Amino acid sequence: MKYLTRRDFFRRTAFGILPALALPHLAHSSLSFSSTDVEVETSYGKLRGLRTEGVNIYKGVPYAGSVSGERRFLKPAALKPWTGVREATRLGPPSIQPPNQTYGISEPDPAEDCLTLNIWTPANDDKKRPVMVYNHGGGFRTGSAGSVAQDGSNLARMYDVVVVATNHRLGLLGYLYLDEIAGDEYAGSGNRGIQDIAIALKWVNENISAFGGDPDNVMIFGESGGGAKTSCLYAMPEAAPYFHKASIESGPGVMMKTADVAAETTELLLKRLGIARTDWRKLLKLPPSVLLDAQEQLQKMGDLSQIAGFHGIGAAGKGGFGPVVDGVVLSTHPFDPIAPSLSKEKPLQVGWNEDEFIFFAMVSGDTEAFQLTQEKLYQRIESILGDKAQLVVDTYREAYPKATPTQLFIAIRSILIMGLGSITIAERKTKQGGAPAYLYNFGYKSDLKVPGTDYEFGSMHALDIPFKFHNIDNVLDKSGHRSSGMAGNRPERFAASDNMCQLWTSFARTSVPSAKEQPTWPAYNLDNRPTMRIDSSCEVIYDRYATELSMWRKALS
């Protein structure tokens, strides 16, 4: 059964768009802080960053060489050492992508040569702090390490950790599968974007001790597309030596694109560009703008109906670009049919936000979704699930008798997009019998309103990002002003953010998530299935969604 029949579901909503949208801003004012230069010696040369408000910050640090020109679609050239002191005070360029999809302050225009990272650390000393390496959202198509929502300053300062975020290749430039037409040199070409992250992790392993971090205690984490990237890294031999635990957040990458589907997408691209298979090297000469335009046209015509449900968000059909199960970089799907054996002893967090779909409806301009009648609810679910719609709607109506049709719609779509895949990952990791898995729901409700409606953001997709980085108040926006952003106005947001930051940084530090004055978070098991609900006051819920899960297993079988 193809349970997602609307071909443009995720094409329209770009399933990991970074959340620094054109949202209503709170009252704000321009503020500035004094900074002093701070230098550090890496294995490639000296860097000069800035110390601001108790944090040493290094931006735009190169971790690999060129990926343009003749290096396009190849692993990057080796990074060359430099002499003197290299400035590391400005963000590096994001990967080539559509316009207006990045949200950093004074961020350069996208470029092919984009392999840089940012580091936030309390001090360049020998303290051996846990290291948290973040994979940005934006699917595999957009985003950057420079977004204001995921600035690592507060997390580093308040919780004594080292935070790292990377730029890496996206879209066609990161995931065009050429293995079957370009020869051995291009083996693994369909996974260059996640290979870039693995190379960044190797750089971290070799250099992070100079920044006060512990190379033997590295956590990888990411939200939405970043969660799917983290899923791939968790199953990737090239990355395995360089991290020790992981957190997959609203981005369950259970399955990825198959080589057959990736090869079909390559054929579609060549046809659109008028290039014969034997002339594929012409792709190396085309301007990035031409490739980007072709990528976006394929995205519109592509069949993405296989995304979501128990398969997670990575198994897109032809037309899109993302990681490929190629037998070279990824030997298997990350969590299908089982959890990856190479990470058996690496603890894992996985979870999603309670109201994920509010975000997707908002960014696609679907204001009708926030004022549904019972009839409209049924029609919408039928358009996705066909003859299973009645079972689904009836189950949710019985489970939530006081809910409005819109609330039921959001609950159904949210678990279908991100929840079922997250539960699948927790179950398969637990069945493996190695290190524990910890399942969560982020439940804090923002009081900001979806533009054009009276409906609140709730716990929508991406709302967790500013909370886990403690960027919920007095935070610089892209224009250099300060506000609380999409976290909203409720004073409880501070406690919710502190709880989430404590859980994440304690997991990074000890491999066991905990927060003061909050309940103990039990490891997931297949008997009572504990889930930590994260809010201003946290709660462990056992066998959450039991009724709904039983139904979904029947409906999607």
Side-chain angles (χ1 to χ4, degrees):
M1 173 184 175
K2 285 190 176 182
Y3 51 86
L4 289 181
T5 57
R6 287 197 295 172
R7 294 173 59 187
D8 66 346
F9 173 60
F10 274 98
R11 171 175 59 80
R12 289 181 64 209
T13 56
F15 66 83
I17 287 175
L18 212 59
L21 304 168
L23 302 176
H25 284 294
L26 305 178
H28 57 246
S29 60
S30 295
L31 299 174
S32 61
F33 296 100
S34 60
S35 301
T36 57
D37 292 347
V38 57
E39 293 186 5
V40 64
E41 181 85 43
T42 75
S43 56
Y44 295 94
K46 289 184 178 180
L47 294 169
R48 179 181 294 118
L50 293 175
R51 182 167 183 80
T52 303
E53 294 294 292
V55 180
N56 295 348
I57 305 172
Y58 301 85
K59 296 180 179 179
V61 178
Y63 63 83
S66 177
V67 289
S68 63
E70 291 298 315
R71 301 299 306 180
R72 183 182 282 175
F73 309 125
L74 292 173
K75 292 184 72 172
L79 180 61
K80 296 179 180 179
W82 57 84
T83 58
V85 181
R86 185 185 185 109
E87 290 290 333
T89 59
R90 294 177 62 85
L91 295 172
S95 178
I96 296 293
Q97 59 190 279
N100 303 316
Q101 298 296 314
T102 62
Y103 306 97
I105 298 171
S106 301
E107 196 163 19
D109 291 335
E112 270 198 84
D113 284 322
C114 62
L115 304 188
T116 65
L117 51 79
N118 306 322
I119 303 169
W120 298 264
T121 179
N124 295 55
D125 54 21
D126 297 321
K127 195 170 179 179
K128 291 190 177 296
R129 297 170 180 84
V131 181
M132 302 176 70
V133 181
Y134 188 69
N135 299 312
H136 69 73
F140 300 103
R141 173 174 163 266
T142 66
S144 77
S147 168
V148 294
Q150 64 197 37
D151 183 281
S153 298
N154 287 337
L155 197 61
R157 178 191 305 110
M158 298 170 67
Y159 300 93
D160 200 33
V161 295
V162 178
V163 182
V164 181
T166 70
N167 281 339
H168 39 269
R169 279 175 283 183
L170 300 169
L172 181 157
L173 290 168
Y175 299 100
L176 179 62
Y177 181 71
L178 296 170
D179 296 40
E180 297 179 10
I181 63 174
D184 292 345
E185 188 181 11
Y186 288 85
S189 57
N191 287 303
R192 296 303 185 215
I194 52 172
Q195 277 192 307
D196 292 343
I197 303 173
I199 292 168
L201 289 171
K202 185 174 186 291
W203 188 98
V204 168
N205 176 266
E206 295 170 348
N207 292 280
I208 207 65
S209 59
F211 297 85
D214 184 356
D216 296 319
N217 191 15
V218 175
M219 169 182 166
I220 57 173
F221 67 128
E223 183 271 348
S224 194
K229 295 166 193 172
T230 302
S231 301
C232 292
L233 294 167
Y234 199 74
M236 188 172 160
E238 193 171 336
Y242 307 121
F243 74 93
H244 309 90
K245 65 207 73 175
S247 180
I248 298 169
E249 302 148 12
S250 297
V254 180
M255 299 177 69
M256 292 292 141
K257 189 189 298 287
T258 65
D260 288 346
V261 172
E264 286 187 71
T265 301
T266 301
E267 293 292 343
L268 288 172
L269 175 72
L270 293 173
K271 183 177 180 180
R272 172 160 287 279
L273 293 172
I275 297 174
R277 280 170 59 96
T278 53
D279 291 331
W280 68 268
R281 292 192 68 87
K282 290 182 178 179
L283 294 170
L284 304 180
K285 304 296 184 182
L286 291 175
S289 59
V290 173
L291 295 178
L292 180 61
D293 179 68
Q295 170 190 302
E296 295 305 288
Q297 293 303 313
L298 288 186
Q299 192 88 5
K300 292 177 182 178
M301 66 180 290
D303 178 9
L304 307 186
S305 62
Q306 298 174 56
I307 295 177
F310 292 105
H311 300 304
I313 65 170
K318 62 184 179 182
F321 293 93
V324 182
V325 182
D326 60 1
V328 179
V329 177
L330 278 179
S331 298
T332 64
H333 294 290
F335 287 92
D336 189 80
I338 59 174
S341 59
L342 61 83
S343 290
K344 181 178 180 179
E345 299 307 325
K346 296 179 180 181
L348 178 68
Q349 285 184 171
V350 60
W352 77 100
N353 300 354
E354 289 178 343
D355 308 317
E356 295 273 359
F357 193 73
I358 291 173
F359 174 89
F360 298 107
M362 177 175 69
V363 298
S364 64
D366 182 13
T367 56
E368 183 190 71
F370 301 104
Q371 48 188 359
L372 294 180
T373 63
Q374 188 69 16
E375 182 181 8
K376 284 287 188 181
L377 165 64
Y378 179 81
Q379 289 174 355
R380 282 178 174 240
I381 300 304
E382 185 180 37
S383 72
I384 306 162
L385 296 168
D387 60 4
K388 302 294 186 181
Q390 194 67 57
L391 172 64
V392 173
V393 172
D394 287 350
T395 299
Y396 272 79
R397 171 56 65 203
E398 184 176 351
Y400 306 97
K402 296 182 180 180
T404 67
T406 286
Q407 288 171 331
L408 293 179
F409 180 65
I410 290 167
I412 292 167
R413 296 306 303 268
S414 296
I415 199 169
L416 184 61
I417 300 168
M418 301 296 179
L420 299 181
S422 298
I423 292 169
T424 298
I425 288 175
E427 288 178 339
R428 291 178 179 173
K429 175 64 179 174
T430 299
K431 288 177 181 177
Q432 192 177 47
Y438 298 91
L439 183 67
Y440 76 88
N441 290 143
F442 180 71
Y444 180 82
K445 311 296 183 186
S446 172
D447 59 333
L448 294 186
K449 301 290 181 66
V450 174
T453 78
D454 287 326
Y455 209 90
E456 293 184 347
F457 284 1
S459 303
M460 71 175 186
H461 185 69
L463 189 74
D464 56 309
I465 296 177
F467 280 80
K468 66 182 156 237
F469 283 95
H470 216 290
N471 291 332
I472 55 163
D473 191 61
N474 202 28
V475 178
L476 281 170
D477 66 18
K478 186 176 180 179
S479 300
H481 298 111
R482 293 188 175 263
S483 76
S484 65
M486 64 182 176
N489 300 301
R490 292 187 177 124
E492 294 85 358
R493 69 185 185 277
F494 296 102
S497 181
D498 183 51
N499 286 337
M500 195 169 199
C501 289
Q502 284 193 60
L503 291 168
W504 261 239
T505 57
S506 62
F507 182 67
R509 184 167 279 108
T510 69
S511 298
V512 178
S514 63
K516 294 178 181 178
E517 301 180 359
Q518 301 303 315
T520 300
W521 185 349
Y524 195 75
N525 66 75
L526 301 179
D527 295 322
N528 59 16
R529 300 173 179 268
T531 300
M532 177 65 89
R533 184 182 185 275
I534 301 168
D535 203 331
S536 56
S537 180
C538 297
E539 176 187 8
V540 176
I541 304 175
Y542 293 93
D543 214 5
R544 192 174 194 190
Y545 306 118
T547 300
E548 299 94 309
L549 273 173
S550 177
M551 178 276 297
W552 282 120
R553 295 189 197 284
K554 294 176 184 177
L556 302 182
S557 61

